[in-house]
Amino acid sequence: MNKKIIVAIALVVVVGAAVAGGAFWYLSKGAEHAQEADDKAGKKPAKKEEKKKEGPPKYLTVDKVIIMLKRQPGDTSTHYMSADLVITTDEKSAGQAKEHLPMLRSVAVRTLSNLPMATAQTMTIDQFAAELNKAFDAAYEHDGIEKPFSEVMIGKLIIE
């Protein structure tokens, strides 16, 4: 009787690992197809840092950005997202980047609050970061000033 239980538990663990591996493969394959579709559509990949920053990178955080997600029609519950953002800069631009943290928080809230819960649940961390990087690029271009950091990354993300 005990051997049957052990074999059953081992079988459940192996099947669970196989399902998790398959899901990971499937989701990563979907990202590759999306990239191929963008390439075929003639979209240029996101520009990397145009000018070379000097020195080792510095990382600044924008802690606890709380966002209320957009409700779907008929949805009566409120959904929230909490994110900690990390921006990559260099020694020379770190001071200016620190001064821009309130603006970065505002742009992040404005960008992410447009997401419906269903969309937010299906997005990957890289997709959130890409959306925020596009929004920051647009905000700095609109203001006509140079962006004092190279990219934004997600340090923590909670969707409820």
Side-chain angles (χ1 to χ4, degrees), residues 2-14:
N2 286 339
K3 286 185 180 183
K4 288 182 181 179
I5 292 173
I6 292 172
V7 169
I9 290 173
L11 184 61
V12 167
V13 168
V14 168

Side-chain angles (χ1 to χ4, degrees), residues 90-101:
D90 63 3
E91 185 77 36
K92 190 169 74 173
S93 302
Q96 184 182 11
K98 283 181 185 177
E99 292 175 2
H100 291 207
L101 291 179

Side-chain angles (χ1 to χ4, degrees), residues 31-160:
E32 291 172 7
H33 286 297
Q35 180 65 34
E36 288 174 10
D38 285 349
D39 291 343
K40 286 180 183 177
K43 292 183 180 177
K44 294 181 182 176
K47 289 183 182 178
K48 294 292 179 188
E49 182 80 20
E50 288 183 2
K51 70 175 194 174
K52 178 98 173 161
K53 298 278 185 176
E54 295 176 14
K58 289 220 160 256
Y59 301 99
L60 303 173
T61 60
V62 182
D63 290 329
K64 295 182 182 110
V65 179
I66 309 289
I67 299 108
M68 188 169 86
L69 296 171
K70 205 159 126 181
R71 289 187 184 187
Q72 297 287 21
D75 190 4
T76 58
S77 59
T78 305
H79 301 286
Y80 293 95
M81 175 189 307
S82 175
D84 289 350
L85 308 179
V86 179
I87 60 171
T88 306
T89 187
D90 63 3
E91 185 77 36
K92 190 169 74 173
S93 302
Q96 184 182 11
K98 283 181 185 177
E99 292 175 2
H100 291 207
L101 291 179
M103 187 271 293
L104 299 178
R105 178 182 297 277
S106 175
V107 171
V109 169
R110 183 176 51 233
T111 301
L112 297 176
S113 65
N114 287 325
L115 293 173
M117 178 65 169
T119 303
Q121 286 179 317
T122 61
M123 289 176 69
T124 65
I125 296 295
D126 291 334
Q127 289 172 326
F128 280 110
E131 286 296 316
L132 289 171
N133 279 309
K134 280 194 286 187
F136 291 141
D137 288 343
Y140 278 97
E141 185 176 319
H142 178 266
D143 291 345
I145 56 177
E146 184 179 344
K147 190 169 75 165
F149 59 93
S150 57
E151 70 172 324
V152 66
M153 300 177 288
I154 308 294
K156 179 173 37 171
L157 182 71
I158 299 170
I159 299 175
E160 192 171 296

Side-chain angles (χ1 to χ4, degrees), residues 9-27:
I9 290 173
L11 184 61
V12 167
V13 168
V14 168
V15 169
V19 168
F24 179 77
W25 174 80
Y26 177 77
L27 291 175

